[in-house]
C-alpha cells in the first residue's frame, strides 16, 4: 500500500487516552510548534477522571467521555467511531488508551490509527513492557510507533527508538528514559504519516527518501 499525497490543510486527529496523557501533550506541543501538520479535533477517554482529559479541557480542546462499563467492546467502539466521525477525525492517535480495539474501530480507520508502545516490538507486547524488558535483562530497550491492526501491538512498524538499558539502574528509571524518547518519536512519526510519503512493505512502513 502507498499513501496518497499529504494534506494542504491541517489534518484533524483524534486522541484516545485513559490516563495522564503525557504523549497527548507531546503531540499537542509539536502541533502548536508547527512541527506536525495537524489539529486536535477531539480528545476522547473511557475514564472521566483521566488527568489527560482534564488537561485537554484546560487547553480548550473538544473532549468526550465514553465509559466502557456495561458495554461490549464492539458496542463501546461503535460509540467511539461515531464521536470521532462527528468531530471530522481523519487520523487516530492512541496515547495511553488502555483498551484493546475491536474490529469496529480498527476497520473504521484502516492504516489511520497510530499507537506508541514502550518496547522494541515485536519484543514485549502488552502491559508493563518496560518491566518485562527489565526483568528479562535486556541490554537495549526502547519504544515503537506502529499502525494498529487486529492483533496486539502487531501492526506495521512506523518508527523505533532504542536506548541503552545498561545506563539506568532500575525498571522505573528505564520507564522514564523510554517515555522521554516516546515524546520525541511520536510527533515525528505522526508528521511523516500525515504528509503521506510512505508505503507499507510487509511488516514495516517505508518512507520516501526525501521525507524521512
Amino acid at each position: 500500500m502507498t499513501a496518497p499525497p499529504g494534506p494542504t490543510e491541517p489534518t484533524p486527529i483524534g486522541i484516545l487516552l485513559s490516563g495522564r496523557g503525557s504523549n497527548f501533550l507531546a503531540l499537542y506541543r509539536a502541533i502548536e510548534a508547527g512541527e506536525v501538520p495537524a489539529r486536535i479535533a477531539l480528545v476522547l477517554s473511557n475514564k472521566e477522571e483521566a488527568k489527560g482529559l482534564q488537561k485537554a479541557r484546560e487547553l480548550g480542546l473538544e473532549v468526550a467521555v465514553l465509559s466502557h462499563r456495561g458495554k461490549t467492546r464492539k458496542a463501546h467502539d461503535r460509540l467511539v467511531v461515531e464521536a470521532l466521525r462527528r468531530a471530522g477525525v481523519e487520523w487516530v492517535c492512541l496515547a495511553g488508551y488502555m483498551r484493546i480495539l475491536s474490529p469496529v474501530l480498527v476497520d473504521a480507520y484502516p492504516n489511520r490509527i497510530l499507537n506508541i508502545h514502550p518496547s522494541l516490538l515485536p519484543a514485549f507486547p502488552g502491559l508493563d513492557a518496560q518491566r518485562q524488558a527489565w526483568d528479562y535483562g535486556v541490554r537495549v530497550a526502547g519504544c515503537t510507533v506502529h499502525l494498529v491492526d487486529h492483533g496486539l501491538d502487531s501492526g506495521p512498524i512506523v518508527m523505533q527508538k532504542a536506548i541503552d538499558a545498561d545506563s539506568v539502574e532500575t525498571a522505573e528509571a528505564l520507564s522514564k528514559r523510554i517515555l522521554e524518547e516516546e515524546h520525541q518519536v511520536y510527533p515525528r512519526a505522526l508528521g511523516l504519516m500525515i504528509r503521506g510519503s510512505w508505503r507499507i512493505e510487509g511488516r514495516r512502513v517505508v518512507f520516501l527518501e526525501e521525507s524521512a
Side-chain angles (χ1 to χ4, degrees):
M1 171 186 173
T2 300
T8 57
E9 297 292 331
T11 298
I13 68 170
I15 307 287
L16 304 188
L17 57 83
S18 298
R20 60 186 176 181
S22 68
N23 272 305
F24 146 59
L25 292 175
L27 293 172
Y28 173 82
R29 288 191 293 267
I31 290 170
E32 289 297 295
E35 298 169 5
V36 180
R39 63 177 179 85
I40 298 176
L42 182 66
V43 179
L44 186 149
S45 180
N46 61 315
K47 296 184 177 182
E48 172 65 44
E49 69 275 14
K51 292 183 179 179
L53 198 66
Q54 179 57 38
K55 188 62 179 178
R57 291 190 176 104
E58 293 172 3
L59 293 170
L61 299 174
E62 187 73 22
V63 303
V65 181
L66 292 173
S67 174
H68 62 277
R69 297 187 182 281
K71 303 180 183 69
T72 66
R73 195 174 303 278
K74 288 184 178 180
H76 180 255
D77 280 357
R78 288 191 189 97
L79 296 176
V80 172
V81 170
E82 289 174 3
L84 293 171
R85 286 178 171 165
R86 282 197 301 270
V89 166
E90 295 179 13
W91 276 84
V92 178
C93 292
L94 308 184
Y97 189 59
M98 305 306 289
R99 299 275 297 165
I100 296 175
L101 306 189
S102 76
V104 170
L105 181 46
V106 175
D107 293 344
Y109 288 90
N111 294 319
R112 289 293 182 274
I113 304 177
L114 284 177
N115 183 45
I116 188 155
H117 184 75
S119 79
L120 296 174
L121 293 172
F124 312 116
L127 296 175
D128 298 322
Q130 308 96 317
R131 171 61 68 175
Q132 290 185 58
W134 181 262
D135 290 346
Y136 197 86
V138 301
R139 311 303 290 269
V140 177
C143 55
T144 303
V145 181
H146 65 94
L147 290 168
V148 175
D149 63 8
H150 294 132
L152 177 63
D153 298 324
S154 60
I157 290 174
V158 176
M159 194 173 291
Q160 292 181 305
K161 178 65 176 182
I163 66 167
D164 178 11
D166 285 340
S167 66
V168 298
E169 297 182 351
T170 65
E172 291 72 23
L174 180 63
S175 295
K176 182 178 179 180
R177 278 287 293 112
I178 291 173
L179 187 61
E180 291 171 356
E181 296 301 334
E182 290 180 36
H183 295 168
Q184 300 299 314
V185 73
Y186 206 0
R188 181 164 184 255
L190 174 62
L192 290 173
M193 295 300 285
I194 285 176
R195 290 184 180 97
S197 299
W198 54 271
R199 63 180 180 272
I200 295 176
E201 291 185 0
R203 305 299 305 167
R204 71 183 67 183
V205 172
V206 177
F207 294 102
L208 298 184
E209 184 177 353
E210 63 268 22
S211 67

